[in-house]
Amino acid sequence: MTRSRIAALLALAFIVLFCFSGVTATTTIDETQAVIQMSMPKLLFSLSSASILLIPLALCAMIAAVIALAQNERNVGMLFAGIGFVSFALFMVFFAREKVNSALYTPISEMLKELGVKFKKRDVKQIEVAYNAVTYLTLLCAAGATALSIPSFGRESRQLLKRDLLPYAYIGPHLFFFIIFFVTPAIYGIYAAFTKWDLFNEPVFTGLENFKTLLFDSSNTYYKQLRNGLANTFKFVIFSVPFCIILPLSLALALNARPKGNKFFQALYYLPSLMSISTVTLTWRYVFNVQYGIINKFFGVQANFFLPPYTWVMLVVVTVWWCTGGTMVIYQSALASVPQDQYEAAAVDGANSIQRFLHVTLPNMRYPLMYTLVTSVVAQFNIYGQPDILVGFSNAEANAVLLQYIYENSVKKQVAGMSSAMAVILGLCIMVVTFIQMRMMVRNNQD
């Protein structure tokens, strides 16, 4: 058996042994000693300690190492195995150094209460942490996988090492933050959807109870919030996405004609996309103000844009104004790459400007159009700032979108488990819509 295969087996053993590893926590109050044991998988989902974030990084790195080593990519396997080993070792060091670890305080406090000890949190001065033998064996497997993956240091080996690892030097920082700030929160968020959790105590696993309440319990408040928020989110997507495509395309076509001052107007149209959502919405809040806003006073409009159904008009205008610039730049780049000889051939055949647009411009912009359609739909499904700042939960929650309910319930009401279930449902809706769009994109490319 080759060294790569042995290293792959050790990396796989790391993943398996992790499931059986654990910690022992001990604390003493009023001469009463409390001792608890907690497995690493349970500790991973305790959601209570910053050092625990290193565990998902170690697991992801080891999974990548197994895949690379199984394909005899020793250099890449060494890189990921090393990252997994270092991450897990750092977790063990940092986790043990925390005096009162939040992940261990809740179960150990429950044991102290069972023992009849009356205490307050400040009375727990230190929780001593010790790892079981399997944990050290897990770390040893990671070290062995890394050591067996190290290549020889000949000239050819160094050149091969540079060739194999140089791409990861470029994507490494992004990959690190992607795992820490995207993959890990996504895993925790999905897990929290199956728990009852108030953000402070340990989450209690409840299975599908949150989803049963949201989907079938019509007497429950969260059932009504899900339907109202999801319906308003879909309305906003339907109202705003067409304008987020048509308006940037129109501006890109106009600027592509090279009018006088086109650079100035390009910068002017792109400027709103550089602003924060708070700046944009607060500015437009004054513009649409009933008493002294520009829309009502200057143009003589009598409508109150903060009352339905005009609120949708206001939300769409603000969103399109904010999002137009970035999409416009993409379309400008696509228009610049359209072959001029196709326009010349169409002109020779007697095609007018509309026909040239339909039969030359649009076919050459098919992929950018589908790309911006997908990204616009995903972006508008995640609508939050505009309705929250402009109308909030006013008008009997007529414009409240699902993300507002998710934030309100999780942060302000500390119903994080139910909010996570709402977020999972919203994510599934986005995935389904995106999948349909991607299928359309593939079909159009094949045609």
Side-chain angles (χ1 to χ4, degrees), residues 26-35 111-118:
T26 307
T27 190
T28 303
I29 295 179
D30 295 336
E31 298 182 354
T32 301
Q33 188 180 67
V35 181
M111 174 165 285
L112 287 169
K113 291 176 183 178
E114 292 177 359
L115 295 173
V117 180
K118 296 182 179 180

Side-chain angles (χ1 to χ4, degrees), residues 237-417:
V237 171
I238 294 171
F239 294 155
S240 62
V241 169
F243 293 102
C244 289
I245 301 297
I246 295 172
L247 183 59
L249 180 60
S250 302
L251 293 176
L253 289 169
L255 293 173
N256 193 55
R258 300 289 191 276
K260 187 176 181 180
N262 65 308
K263 295 297 182 183
F264 168 76
F265 287 106
Q266 178 180 344
L268 186 66
Y269 297 145
Y270 185 72
L271 184 62
S273 63
L274 301 177
M275 301 179 183
S276 67
I277 185 60
S278 300
T279 302
V280 171
T281 49
L282 289 174
T283 301
W284 279 96
R285 187 178 180 88
Y286 285 107
V287 172
F288 282 107
N289 189 279
V290 179
Q291 297 179 350
Y292 49 80
I294 297 175
I295 301 296
N296 287 59
K297 291 298 181 181
F298 185 78
F299 294 102
V301 179
Q302 300 301 318
N304 186 347
F305 289 95
F306 293 91
L307 294 176
Y310 302 107
T311 45
W312 289 116
V313 176
M314 177 175 61
L315 292 172
V316 170
V317 168
V318 173
T319 302
V320 173
W321 185 80
W322 184 44
C323 300
T324 293
T327 308
M328 181 196 68
V329 171
I330 295 174
Y331 291 157
Q332 282 185 287
S333 177
L335 286 170
S337 63
V338 177
Q340 293 299 316
D341 56 351
Q342 294 186 14
Y343 287 116
E344 295 172 0
V348 170
D349 291 338
N352 57 33
S353 58
I354 297 177
Q355 291 172 327
R356 289 197 297 269
F357 172 74
L358 294 176
H359 299 287
V360 177
T361 304
L362 284 183
N364 283 281
M365 294 183 63
R366 181 168 53 187
Y367 183 78
L369 284 169
M370 290 302 300
Y371 169 77
T372 52
L373 177 61
V374 172
T375 55
S376 296
V377 168
V378 172
Q380 306 319 327
F381 260 110
N382 287 282
I383 176 71
Y384 171 76
Q386 299 94 304
D388 187 64
I389 296 175
L390 290 172
V391 292
F393 290 99
S394 61
N395 305 321
E397 303 180 359
N399 303 104
V401 295
L402 190 55
L403 275 180
Q404 286 181 265
Y405 289 120
I406 292 172
Y407 176 81
E408 182 78 10
N409 292 328
S410 62
V411 177
K412 294 184 178 180
K413 298 180 180 179
Q414 285 86 45
V415 192

